[in-house]
Amino acid sequence: AAQASVASQVNTAGMCTSCHMDGFVGASTAPRLAGQQQPYLELTLHQFKTKERANNPGMSSIVGTFADADLSAMAAHLGSL
């Protein structure tokens, strides 16, 4: 329940579903996040935050505003969908 609450706050602040769509099902160039494996999501979010993954500077800017614990909660939530 706590993870879902943090994930909801991250989604609202980061406006995740504006690109990844309701339910995080993805569209066009925004990938599906729902149901992806939690370790993969967490790694990818961390790579965007550190700019190790540089293919989407907008994602790095957004993800960079969140604490690692919030990103972990978001990854766990997305993996559970």
Side-chain angles (χ1 to χ4, degrees), residues 24-78:
F24 301 96
V25 296
S28 185
T29 60
R32 175 184 186 89
L33 301 177
Q36 296 288 342
Q37 293 191 16
Q38 182 270 336
Y40 167 76
L41 292 167
E42 193 165 352
L43 174 64
T44 301
L45 288 169
H46 179 75
Q47 288 174 331
F48 275 123
K49 183 175 180 174
T50 62
K51 300 182 181 169
E52 178 182 345
R53 185 171 183 160
N55 65 320
N56 188 333
M59 274 294 298
S60 292
S61 294
I62 293 167
V63 172
T65 66
F66 296 104
D68 289 343
D70 293 343
L71 297 177
S72 295
M74 186 65 169
H77 173 70
L78 291 168

